[in-house]
Amino acid sequence: MKVLFLCTGNSCRSQMAEGWLRTLGGGAVDAASAGIEAHGKNPRAIAAMAEIGIDISGQQSRIVTDEMLQADLVITVCGHADEHCPVLPPRVRKLHWPIEDPARAEGDAAAVMARFREIRDEIGQRVHGLLEELQIAIHEPHA
């Protein structure tokens, strides 16, 4: 099964979701992420995921292509991507997960990093639920 996570810039939420699904799915799911634009990878997203034993540093920030849209499931993780999602082939299932952008968090460094952790954990819960729905065994990360 192929799953594509789509957001605006492919720097935080979709990157974390890809990492979660790649890890928890244990190879049973082909996880990818892309954006309507490519904003590069957010170092705080990489750090937050590393804290729980998931390395997303090797993932790329990409602009979505027609080939990527040939997935079995496309999940938009922000309103902008949901509104601007390209037309999907008829057989492709689409879900929308309205997740706040941790890159917009305000406050000192500790407060911003705390928000990244909250969003990371929310995405992890959603990916857990998706795998349960798809009846795919869950492989927990090793922190």
Side-chain angles (χ1 to χ4, degrees):
M1 166 170 239
K2 290 184 178 184
V3 177
L4 173 67
F5 293 98
L6 186 63
C7 71
T8 301
N10 192 219
S11 65
C12 295
R13 295 164 286 184
S14 56
Q15 290 282 341
M16 289 191 280
E18 176 185 350
W20 270 116
L21 188 56
R22 186 180 315 273
T23 300
L24 296 180
V29 180
D30 181 6
S33 66
I36 304 300
E37 305 163 2
H39 293 169
K41 296 182 295 188
N42 187 299
R44 287 188 176 109
I46 294 169
M49 294 299 285
E51 289 175 353
I52 58 163
I54 300 177
D55 181 7
I56 63 169
S57 64
Q59 294 175 190
Q60 301 299 313
S61 180
R62 304 177 271 226
I63 296 174
V64 67
T65 65
D66 288 341
E67 183 179 327
M68 291 176 175
L69 296 173
Q70 299 302 314
D72 299 296
L73 173 62
V74 172
I75 301 174
T76 55
V77 295
C78 71
H80 182 263
D82 189 45
E83 294 166 11
H84 294 89
C85 184
V87 175
L88 300 174
R91 64 164 190 77
V92 177
R93 179 179 169 206
K94 180 177 174 261
L95 294 175
H96 176 58
W97 293 352
I99 300 170
E100 288 184 37
D101 187 354
R104 293 181 184 226
E106 295 180 356
D108 63 16
V112 171
M113 196 61 203
R115 190 66 185 133
F116 269 83
R117 290 181 186 108
E118 291 170 4
I119 297 299
R120 171 201 66 202
D121 295 345
E122 177 186 344
I123 293 168
Q125 290 172 352
R126 288 177 180 270
V127 170
H128 265 270
L130 176 66
L131 289 169
E132 288 172 358
E133 176 192 325
L134 298 173
Q135 299 181 335
I136 294 173
I138 297 172
H139 299 79
E140 294 296 338
H142 304 289

